[in-house]
Amino acid sequence: QVQLVESGGGLVQDGGSLRLSCLASGFTFSYYYMGWYRLAPGKQRELVASITSGGKTNYADSVKGRFTISRDNAKNTVYLQMNSLKPEDTAVYYCYSRTGLDSYWGQGTQVTVSS
């Protein structure tokens, strides 16, 4: 049974920090591309950050310099460290994985940044 279980979301003040975690199971984690997407009300789904199986990272312009994605293959976990949070970052954040023809989504975790 393939699962992606997210944690770490919550309510934070403008300028604060949160660290999201995504624990994967049921597949060979180290082979997969991993990413964090977010979906805010009235907006399209956005790829926030990604990391390849080789460790190459990429970020949306809106979060570059503030967010950091990382992975720990020994723990089957991908992280998203979010600093200097803004109200515009408020969204449901989803963990995503992909390799070849296989792709998986987490259930999402709410991040709310108050002004």
Side-chain angles (χ1 to χ4, degrees), residues 22-41:
C22 174
L23 176 62
S25 62
F27 62 95
T28 306
F29 177 83
S30 62
Y31 293 172
Y32 279 69
Y33 161 102
M34 301 294 298
W36 287 96
Y37 285 80
R38 66 186 181 188
L39 182 63

Side-chain angles (χ1 to χ4, degrees), residues 58-100:
N58 195 33
Y59 299 93
D61 288 342
S62 59
V63 307
K64 196 169 295 182
R66 300 188 296 119
F67 291 10
T68 303
I69 189 171
S70 62
R71 65 192 297 162
D72 186 339
N73 289 340
K75 296 181 178 180
N76 287 358
T77 301
V78 62
Y79 305 96
L80 186 67
Q81 178 67 47
M82 304 184 294
N83 299 326
S84 302
L85 283 162
K86 306 174 182 178
E88 306 89 80
D89 296 317
T90 296
V92 178
Y93 284 71
Y94 296 90
C95 183
Y96 172 80
S97 65
R98 187 197 72 238
T99 191

